[in-house]
Amino acid sequence: MLLTLTTTHRPATDLGYLLVKHPGKVHSFSVPTGTAYVLYPEADDDRCTAALLLDVDPQLLRAQRDAFELSQYVNDRPYAASSLLSSALAKVFRTALRGASKDRPELAAVAIPLEIRVPVLRGTPDLVTRLFAPLGWSVTATPIPFEPEIGGDSRYVDVVLTGELRVSDALNHLYVLLPVLDDGKHYWVAPDEIEKLLRSGEGWLATHPEKVLIARRYLAHRKSLATTALSLLEADQPVTEEEAELPVTRRAPLAEQRRDAVLAALAEVNASRVLDLGCGGGALLAALLKDRAFTEIVGADVATRTLEQAARRLRLDRLPERQKDRVKLIQTALTYRDDRLRGFDAAVLMEVIEHVDLPRLPALEAAVFGHAKPRAVVVTTPNVEYNVHYEGLTGMRHSDHRFEWTRAEFAGWASAKADEYGYTVTIRGVGEVDETTGAPTQLALFTLKEVSA
């Protein structure tokens, strides 16, 4: 599976800085379905081409939960561009997708001449043109014929896109539209895919003439997800008088409801100095920063790249000094004791514990409840009983989850930890509640007994 990105901007080898991949090396990356390689077949001042080659392992591919029912080794998945290539692109060019370049920031912000080729892509010339042309691309989509003895054209096209765009915009177009053209994903589509779509489609998707088709296909034809995504896109668009008179109902995505529930719990305990443990890309940090009630905010994560992403999301380099002084990002492992985390009003573990191997969970508990010992701890985690409501889901909600608990299991764990470390605990659901299975997310609010008294 191949994709090439070429520029004639001079010096063309600056493409290496934008992609954060040296033109003189072959870079390899392990992905869930095989190995991705980045190499440069040509690299000089006049013309530079970066190639993303995805080598799919059929055995790994069969192990993936996907919408294709891959029970056979023989299929087109290792060869035709699809969500497999889109996922590899997101991992390999993560920094470039965000439009960040430490060495060439001014170049990352401007449009440069680009040519993209995807030699084998499932789709029709008409659909490829309808999707890419409105984004400023000149499109050449050539049908790939069957063998001469069969005759006619196959369902695949050889696509060449040319235009002057920012590299980040080009990559985000590909990230969204490759699986749209293929009309399927190799993994189960969860509600958090809405956020990925909106993030990657920022600045172009809301005005795209095919946005309805894009949302439906990207979200695997799950009507409720597509409806939510489109309503969020429309939120910032002007409406007609007729539309303004129509009743509008929007159910907030679960991620948004979860953040609101955490913020409410923090307000309940009057927290002003807060730890976001396992802060990830900074979604909760951004919400905390908007509320002046939180005077000191610390985001902690083990991955430096994740912290860099959080810094960009918060725009730390552009914040006024007064705002910047309120927030700090630190690298630390949550399974180790860290004195920098002591003395805070509250700590949040939002969708974190399920990513920890069960044998290592006691180390996290000791580090947070025992050593850091904030006045309050807020923990959220999926309710596995609710998973029956997710169409097509056969395992856990995320491939990185080590476990998912029932409501009884979570309540038992929370009660035991409260007794062990001197807290009281209350448990509540987050999200739409089903009479049988409860809410999709469960939240525990721990409060130190001495504070409660």
Side-chain angles (χ1 to χ4, degrees), residues 353 361 365 369 377-381 405-428 442-447 449:
I353 61 171
L361 191 56
E365 297 159 1
F369 293 100
V377 180
V378 183
V379 179
T380 74
T381 193
W405 279 332
T406 65
R407 286 170 291 171
E409 288 170 331
F410 182 60
W413 172 83
S415 177
K417 296 307 115 182
D419 291 342
E420 182 177 355
Y421 292 103
Y423 286 81
T424 59
V425 64
T426 58
I427 296 176
R428 59 199 68 167
Q442 39 197 346
L443 180 150
L445 174 58
F446 297 84
T447 307
K449 288 182 178 178

Side-chain angles (χ1 to χ4, degrees), residues 27 68 85 138 140 193 197 203 226 267 281 300 307 329 341 350 370 398 424:
H27 310 264
F68 304 110
L85 187 59
S138 295
T140 302
E193 291 291 298
L197 174 62
L307 292 172
L329 301 177
L341 306 182
M350 189 172 75
H398 193 283
T424 59

Side-chain angles (χ1 to χ4, degrees), residues 62-316:
R62 291 181 71 229
Q64 296 293 307
R65 295 190 304 271
D66 54 63
F68 304 110
E69 298 181 357
L70 296 175
S71 58
Q72 303 293 327
Y73 280 105
V74 180
N75 53 73
D76 67 353
R77 297 299 91 194
Y79 315 107
S82 64
S83 62
L84 294 167
L85 187 59
S86 179
S87 295
L89 184 148
K91 178 172 183 177
V92 170
F93 298 133
R94 184 177 305 174
T95 302
L97 276 160
R98 295 194 297 265
S101 174
K102 182 179 67 174
D103 299 295
R104 296 292 187 274
E106 70 290 342
L107 184 58
V110 299
I112 62 174
L114 296 174
E115 178 184 290
I116 291 172
R117 185 182 178 198
V118 186
V120 183
L121 176 60
R122 187 188 296 188
T124 64
D126 174 67
L127 182 56
V128 173
T129 302
R130 283 162 49 200
L131 291 177
F132 283 100
L135 301 175
W137 294 103
S138 295
V139 181
T140 302
T142 306
I144 298 175
F146 284 118
E147 294 296 326
E149 57 269 20
I150 300 176
D153 293 329
S154 69
R155 59 180 177 177
Y156 304 101
V157 289
D158 180 349
V159 176
V160 178
L161 309 171
T162 57
E164 287 201 7
L165 296 91
R166 295 186 304 174
V167 169
S168 61
D169 291 336
L171 294 177
N172 277 292
H173 295 166
L174 292 167
Y175 175 75
V176 172
L177 297 180
L178 288 180
V180 168
L181 280 161
D182 185 64
D183 198 14
K185 287 196 171 182
H186 67 284
Y187 57 88
W188 180 76
V189 174
D192 61 359
E193 291 291 298
I194 295 174
E195 186 176 351
K196 294 180 185 178
L197 174 62
L198 298 183
R199 182 174 63 245
S200 298
E202 185 176 358
W204 61 270
L205 182 55
T207 57
H208 198 293
E210 298 291 345
K211 64 184 176 183
V212 175
L213 172 72
I214 293 170
R216 287 176 178 171
R217 286 192 169 202
Y218 185 87
L219 297 168
H221 296 277
R222 296 190 61 190
K223 185 176 179 181
S224 62
L225 299 186
T227 300
T228 299
L230 290 168
S231 68
L232 290 171
L233 281 174
E234 295 290 348
D236 296 326
Q237 300 300 308
V239 297
T240 65
E241 291 183 9
E242 292 81 3
E243 291 173 327
E245 294 175 357
L246 295 174
V248 178
T249 58
R250 181 182 79 85
R251 180 180 301 161
L254 180 58
E256 184 179 328
Q257 295 182 59
R258 187 185 299 123
R259 285 197 295 271
D260 289 345
V262 169
L263 293 173
L266 294 173
E268 190 176 326
V269 295
N270 297 314
S272 59
R273 302 175 64 245
V274 178
L275 295 167
D276 183 5
L277 303 178
C279 64
L284 178 61
L285 292 173
L288 292 169
L289 193 58
K290 291 178 182 178
D291 191 333
R292 296 185 180 276
F294 302 111
T295 58
E296 184 177 356
I297 305 161
V298 173
D301 204 285
V302 70
T304 54
R305 288 187 178 181
T306 299
L307 292 172
E308 291 169 0
Q309 180 183 353
R312 282 189 288 272
R313 182 170 195 159
L314 299 174
R315 299 182 179 179
L316 288 184

